[in-house]
Amino acid sequence: MTPASPPSSRAAKLAQLKAAPTVSVLVVGGGINGAGTFRDLALQGVDCLLVDKADWCAGTSAAPSRLIHGGLKYLETGEFRLVAESTRERNLLLKNAPHLVKPLATVVPIHKVFSGIVPAARRFLGMKAKLADRGLLIVEAGLVLYDWLGRKHRVMPRHRVALRTATRRRFPAMAPAVVATSTYYDARITQAERLCFELVADAEAVNPDARGLNYMAVSGGAGGRVTLKDQVTGEVVSIEPRVVVNAAGPWIDRVNRTVGLNTTYIGGTKGSHLIVDNPELVRQLDGHMVYFGSPDGRICLVYPFFGLALIGSTDIKADNPDTVVCDDAEADYMLGMVHEVFPAIPLSADQIVYRYAGIRPLPAANVDSPGEISRDHTVSRDMLPGSGVPVLSLIGGKWTTFRALAAEATDDILALLGRPRRNDTTLIPIGGGRDFPLTGDARAAWIARVAQSYALTGAYVEACLDRYGTGAEAMLQPLAGVSADALASLPEYGECELRNVIAREHVVNLTDIVLRRLPIAVSGRLTGGAAAEIAAHAASVLQWTDDERERQLDDLRTVARERHGIDLDAVASTRAPLAAPR
């Protein structure tokens, strides 16, 4: 897919790069690890350039279970350091990004009291064992340890146990074979793609020498220089970095080969997820995630998401991140696993409103099962051939721990540059999490003030606060000649809001808007009518010709159908709008 003409701010950054092609740090990969590292470097005053061959958060980082979690299952393999780090980072994200990261009560269904003790002990000792059924004693022991490891920066309650009667009272449709449930607390991220973008925007806002260019691919490297090809114009730019950070996730080895390095760092696995429109399932979940093991030893989950149910996930060996999709066999598997827990609730493929898949950038490992590969992160160092330019490859990791990995990488980079760390990112808010109203009274006052300032409904302002955090006020700024009215096809979005997003947020393509800047597709609200209306606004802001607008719509139809199972020519939204501007 060839991107369209960019907004002028992108052209200005390109012109600056051509005029001054020397940069201290080049970060390749605009997923969560690259964006986190870019922001950390910017906060240290380092001149840096972030590039991605596509849009920000368009690859693996857009395909997680959308959980911010400590990794309860890692206790089974004795990865205590990883769990402690993950629970700490989870707690920090609840503080630093409260607009997008929310607590999530998580329920573990238990079928027996004593099962799983022997295989759990074998796995803990590093021996091979299949653990398909975790009994009450194993779960309870794990959660006691989990609570203890997550004590630093704690913001949520400790776990609790409910026996059969209490479980049935809370979850009447749960399978009769469930004898107890344990409930603990992790967190979910409502808009993963937006949080990733906000890291990029924060970096550019805090440091004028930090520049992000999406749709910019690495095309070669020699003699200490790296060649970038603009995927918008086709132009080639050669730059001279002092340090290269390869944060390309499952593309890491491919990027390294492009610059002359032969590495085999990545051994990824495919994870697929479904978004399902099943109101009865959502009611039965009652705001909880149900987290359970399948008979084949995999971990499955289901929880409420934008009024729908998010179901995941698979863990399959795969190595081509450019073509990965959630196929029908995986969809049937996930629906079947949820049916095992809620057998009285009909689930069918025609309830799927969105599906997605990505390749986890796990370290290459010789294991029998993909689930055995560690989710920990490492930083490997090479040199650009024929030069003394270090290349740092960020391997592994997960959404929850991106800040910790970024801090580790940034410390390494600062040492290479001979510069001190100026700022610790531990408690620095992200994007719209800055000055976010945390109490009910503060929230109500913020909504009332903004609603009165712009003559908007309180319900709509509240929806924007949930979408953008305190950044909502900038999105609601009136625009000359633009109505504050609702979109005809998506009444919960306003025209000023949409056009501000398009103008301010590095938008190049129609897919950038509906798949990443706004949660339109992932919330099951992408229709042909919505796509056409949004394309008309994008064409006006980005000065697309009629032919370009139609090409953008064709590209979106293809991506929606092939990657996400949406037929824009057939689908019609029957979901009620959440709120309207007026």
Side-chain angles (χ1 to χ4, degrees), residues 169-183:
R169 194 162 48 240
R170 190 65 182 267
F171 305 104
M174 195 168 278
V178 174
V179 301
T181 50
S182 287
T183 301

PDB file of all heavy atoms in Angstrom, residues 169-183:
ATOM      1  N   ARG A 169     -23.057 -17.503  42.325  1.00  0.00           N
ATOM      2  CA  ARG A 169     -23.858 -16.295  42.527  1.00  0.00           C
ATOM      3  C   ARG A 169     -23.340 -15.164  41.637  1.00  0.00           C
ATOM      4  O   ARG A 169     -24.123 -14.388  41.094  1.00  0.00           O
ATOM      5  CB  ARG A 169     -23.789 -15.905  44.007  1.00  0.00           C
ATOM      6  CG  ARG A 169     -24.813 -14.884  44.433  1.00  0.00           C
ATOM      7  CD  ARG A 169     -25.018 -14.848  45.946  1.00  0.00           C
ATOM      8  NE  ARG A 169     -23.747 -14.799  46.683  1.00  0.00           N
ATOM      9  CZ  ARG A 169     -23.367 -15.732  47.559  1.00  0.00           C
ATOM     10  NH1 ARG A 169     -24.154 -16.778  47.797  1.00  0.00           N
ATOM     11  NH2 ARG A 169     -22.219 -15.613  48.195  1.00  0.00           N
ATOM     12  N   ARG A 170     -22.024 -15.055  41.486  1.00  0.00           N
ATOM     13  CA  ARG A 170     -21.439 -13.965  40.694  1.00  0.00           C
ATOM     14  C   ARG A 170     -21.452 -14.266  39.205  1.00  0.00           C
ATOM     15  O   ARG A 170     -21.672 -13.380  38.373  1.00  0.00           O
ATOM     16  CB  ARG A 170     -19.992 -13.737  41.160  1.00  0.00           C
ATOM     17  CG  ARG A 170     -19.350 -12.474  40.577  1.00  0.00           C
ATOM     18  CD  ARG A 170     -20.080 -11.252  41.088  1.00  0.00           C
ATOM     19  NE  ARG A 170     -19.584 -10.014  40.550  1.00  0.00           N
ATOM     20  CZ  ARG A 170     -18.643  -9.261  41.136  1.00  0.00           C
ATOM     21  NH1 ARG A 170     -18.099  -9.647  42.275  1.00  0.00           N
ATOM     22  NH2 ARG A 170     -18.281  -8.112  40.602  1.00  0.00           N
ATOM     23  N   PHE A 171     -21.225 -15.534  38.829  1.00  0.00           N
ATOM     24  CA  PHE A 171     -21.146 -15.928  37.420  1.00  0.00           C
ATOM     25  C   PHE A 171     -22.080 -17.111  37.174  1.00  0.00           C
ATOM     26  O   PHE A 171     -21.620 -18.263  37.050  1.00  0.00           O
ATOM     27  CB  PHE A 171     -19.701 -16.296  37.041  1.00  0.00           C
ATOM     28  CG  PHE A 171     -18.702 -15.214  37.329  1.00  0.00           C
ATOM     29  CD1 PHE A 171     -17.856 -15.303  38.425  1.00  0.00           C
ATOM     30  CD2 PHE A 171     -18.608 -14.106  36.507  1.00  0.00           C
ATOM     31  CE1 PHE A 171     -16.937 -14.311  38.702  1.00  0.00           C
ATOM     32  CE2 PHE A 171     -17.685 -13.101  36.770  1.00  0.00           C
ATOM     33  CZ  PHE A 171     -16.850 -13.189  37.873  1.00  0.00           C
ATOM     34  N   PRO A 172     -23.383 -16.870  37.092  1.00  0.00           N
ATOM     35  CA  PRO A 172     -24.344 -17.990  36.997  1.00  0.00           C
ATOM     36  C   PRO A 172     -24.192 -18.846  35.752  1.00  0.00           C
ATOM     37  O   PRO A 172     -24.594 -20.014  35.757  1.00  0.00           O
ATOM     38  CB  PRO A 172     -25.709 -17.283  37.025  1.00  0.00           C
ATOM     39  CG  PRO A 172     -25.428 -15.850  36.709  1.00  0.00           C
ATOM     40  CD  PRO A 172     -24.060 -15.572  37.194  1.00  0.00           C
ATOM     41  N   ALA A 173     -23.610 -18.304  34.668  1.00  0.00           N
ATOM     42  CA  ALA A 173     -23.478 -19.076  33.429  1.00  0.00           C
ATOM     43  C   ALA A 173     -22.149 -19.824  33.340  1.00  0.00           C
ATOM     44  O   ALA A 173     -21.900 -20.514  32.351  1.00  0.00           O
ATOM     45  CB  ALA A 173     -23.634 -18.156  32.214  1.00  0.00           C
ATOM     46  N   MET A 174     -21.327 -19.719  34.370  1.00  0.00           N
ATOM     47  CA  MET A 174     -20.042 -20.413  34.327  1.00  0.00           C
ATOM     48  C   MET A 174     -20.257 -21.919  34.427  1.00  0.00           C
ATOM     49  O   MET A 174     -21.224 -22.382  35.047  1.00  0.00           O
ATOM     50  CB  MET A 174     -19.126 -19.915  35.453  1.00  0.00           C
ATOM     51  CG  MET A 174     -17.668 -20.299  35.290  1.00  0.00           C
ATOM     52  SD  MET A 174     -16.557 -19.413  36.447  1.00  0.00           S
ATOM     53  CE  MET A 174     -16.336 -17.854  35.594  1.00  0.00           C
ATOM     54  N   ALA A 175     -19.374 -22.703  33.815  1.00  0.00           N
ATOM     55  CA  ALA A 175     -19.524 -24.157  33.742  1.00  0.00           C
ATOM     56  C   ALA A 175     -19.706 -24.769  35.139  1.00  0.00           C
ATOM     57  O   ALA A 175     -19.008 -24.387  36.090  1.00  0.00           O
ATOM     58  CB  ALA A 175     -18.307 -24.773  33.063  1.00  0.00           C
ATOM     59  N   PRO A 176     -20.632 -25.721  35.286  1.00  0.00           N
ATOM     60  CA  PRO A 176     -20.877 -26.356  36.587  1.00  0.00           C
ATOM     61  C   PRO A 176     -19.648 -27.037  37.177  1.00  0.00           C
ATOM     62  O   PRO A 176     -19.559 -27.207  38.394  1.00  0.00           O
ATOM     63  CB  PRO A 176     -21.971 -27.381  36.270  1.00  0.00           C
ATOM     64  CG  PRO A 176     -22.633 -26.873  35.032  1.00  0.00           C
ATOM     65  CD  PRO A 176     -21.564 -26.177  34.255  1.00  0.00           C
ATOM     66  N   ALA A 177     -18.701 -27.435  36.328  1.00  0.00           N
ATOM     67  CA  ALA A 177     -17.515 -28.134  36.821  1.00  0.00           C
ATOM     68  C   ALA A 177     -16.574 -27.215  37.604  1.00  0.00           C
ATOM     69  O   ALA A 177     -15.662 -27.693  38.279  1.00  0.00           O
ATOM     70  CB  ALA A 177     -16.752 -28.755  35.652  1.00  0.00           C
ATOM     71  N   VAL A 178     -16.781 -25.905  37.532  1.00  0.00           N
ATOM     72  CA  VAL A 178     -15.932 -24.959  38.264  1.00  0.00           C
ATOM     73  C   VAL A 178     -16.292 -25.005  39.748  1.00  0.00           C
ATOM     74  O   VAL A 178     -17.427 -24.738  40.134  1.00  0.00           O
ATOM     75  CB  VAL A 178     -16.091 -23.531  37.705  1.00  0.00           C
ATOM     76  CG1 VAL A 178     -15.326 -22.520  38.563  1.00  0.00           C
ATOM     77  CG2 VAL A 178     -15.624 -23.463  36.254  1.00  0.00           C
ATOM     78  N   VAL A 179     -15.327 -25.354  40.595  1.00  0.00           N
ATOM     79  CA  VAL A 179     -15.588 -25.509  42.030  1.00  0.00           C
ATOM     80  C   VAL A 179     -15.200 -24.271  42.828  1.00  0.00           C
ATOM     81  O   VAL A 179     -15.601 -24.132  43.994  1.00  0.00           O
ATOM     82  CB  VAL A 179     -14.837 -26.739  42.597  1.00  0.00           C
ATOM     83  CG1 VAL A 179     -15.268 -28.004  41.876  1.00  0.00           C
ATOM     84  CG2 VAL A 179     -13.320 -26.547  42.505  1.00  0.00           C
ATOM     85  N   ALA A 180     -14.413 -23.367  42.230  1.00  0.00           N
ATOM     86  CA  ALA A 180     -13.995 -22.156  42.924  1.00  0.00           C
ATOM     87  C   ALA A 180     -13.415 -21.185  41.899  1.00  0.00           C
ATOM     88  O   ALA A 180     -13.122 -21.567  40.759  1.00  0.00           O
ATOM     89  CB  ALA A 180     -12.949 -22.471  43.994  1.00  0.00           C
ATOM     90  N   THR A 181     -13.266 -19.946  42.308  1.00  0.00           N
ATOM     91  CA  THR A 181     -12.576 -18.953  41.482  1.00  0.00           C
ATOM     92  C   THR A 181     -11.653 -18.135  42.377  1.00  0.00           C
ATOM     93  O   THR A 181     -11.965 -17.876  43.544  1.00  0.00           O
ATOM     94  CB  THR A 181     -13.560 -17.991  40.783  1.00  0.00           C
ATOM     95  OG1 THR A 181     -14.476 -17.463  41.746  1.00  0.00           O
ATOM     96  CG2 THR A 181     -14.320 -18.686  39.672  1.00  0.00           C
ATOM     97  N   SER A 182     -10.536 -17.739  41.816  1.00  0.00           N
ATOM     98  CA  SER A 182      -9.652 -16.780  42.470  1.00  0.00           C
ATOM     99  C   SER A 182      -9.675 -15.499  41.654  1.00  0.00           C
ATOM    100  O   SER A 182      -9.591 -15.542  40.423  1.00  0.00           O
ATOM    101  CB  SER A 182      -8.227 -17.318  42.556  1.00  0.00           C
ATOM    102  OG  SER A 182      -8.124 -18.337  43.516  1.00  0.00           O
ATOM    103  N   THR A 183      -9.799 -14.372  42.333  1.00  0.00           N
ATOM    104  CA  THR A 183      -9.848 -13.075  41.660  1.00  0.00           C
ATOM    105  C   THR A 183      -8.645 -12.238  42.086  1.00  0.00           C
ATOM    106  O   THR A 183      -8.405 -12.046  43.277  1.00  0.00           O
ATOM    107  CB  THR A 183     -11.142 -12.322  42.007  1.00  0.00           C
ATOM    108  OG1 THR A 183     -12.270 -13.110  41.604  1.00  0.00           O
ATOM    109  CG2 THR A 183     -11.201 -10.974  41.298  1.00  0.00           C
TER     110      THR A 183
END
